[in-house]
Amino acid sequence: RLVLRVLRREPLRDPPVGVQDALVRGRGGCVLATKLRDAKAFLRILGKREAAAEAGHLPVLCLHGGPGLGFKYMESCEILASETREVASYDQIGCARSSLSQPPPSGVFAPELFAAELARLRDVAELDKVHVVAHGWGAMLALDHVLGPFGTGIASLTLVSCPPSYARLISDRRDALTKMPSDLAEALVDGDAG
């Protein structure tokens, strides 16, 4: 039988810039509060931590694509959870169970926000050493995380459908916009700006 670990309220270490020091219990997981008004990040961890540690099995951390999708489509990765392995999945800020009650100010949804959220989530959930499975945008986030100041403790990195670079991603999207009806392309560009 798998156990869902709900994090307990306790003093936390200094958070990265952009994420405040708050942890609230939630049904079926935990929510990490951010400095965005009314924002919470949902985290679910399946497995048995103590048994996994005794077996020497590191947890698997799953990062979903999007941004904006939520991890629901990646739930099949949770089959890796067992008596001796934890699997952690979360909805990134602004997605699914980590949704916002109101739209954030322009420019808030930047890679730095998601990077700070991931670093804070690993800290609070005590996911110090993990295997990472990441898809799409989550794969780009994982690469930034591994190469950045908070990327220690990554035992392995599995990237699925990862664009070769941000520059190539932006170039491909701009090219696709030129092939769309102008009203649709304008709506997408306006949505990205706000």
Side-chain angles (χ1 to χ4, degrees), residues 56-193:
H57 295 164
L58 297 174
V60 176
L61 175 61
C62 302
L63 305 179
H64 65 77
L69 290 178
F71 84 82
K72 187 84 172 154
Y73 75 97
M74 288 185 70
E75 281 184 343
S76 60
C77 290
E78 291 179 342
I79 198 166
L80 298 170
S82 69
E83 295 283 327
T84 60
R85 173 149 352 253
E86 288 186 300
V87 174
S89 301
Y90 74 104
D91 290 324
Q92 297 160 13
I93 293 174
C95 306
R97 289 169 283 193
S98 295
S99 60
L100 301 169
S101 61
Q102 59 187 8
S106 180
V108 168
F109 282 123
E112 295 79 20
L113 173 70
F114 294 100
E117 177 190 31
L118 175 56
R120 183 69 176 137
L121 180 132
R122 285 189 59 207
D123 181 43
V124 169
E126 298 173 350
L127 296 169
D128 301 323
K129 189 158 181 147
V130 295
H131 298 286
V132 174
V133 175
H135 173 254
W137 153 253
M140 291 190 295
L141 177 61
L143 282 172
D144 281 350
H145 184 71
V146 167
L147 298 172
F150 303 108
T152 59
I154 304 298
S156 70
L157 182 61
T158 303
L159 305 176
V160 181
S161 297
C162 183
S165 72
Y166 284 118
R168 177 66 187 265
L169 176 67
I170 298 303
S171 171
D172 288 350
R173 288 185 175 178
R174 285 186 178 147
D175 184 49
L177 283 172
T178 65
K179 297 173 183 162
M180 293 181 181
S182 60
D183 59 331
L184 179 59
E186 189 176 313
L188 291 171
V189 170
D190 288 346
D192 279 348

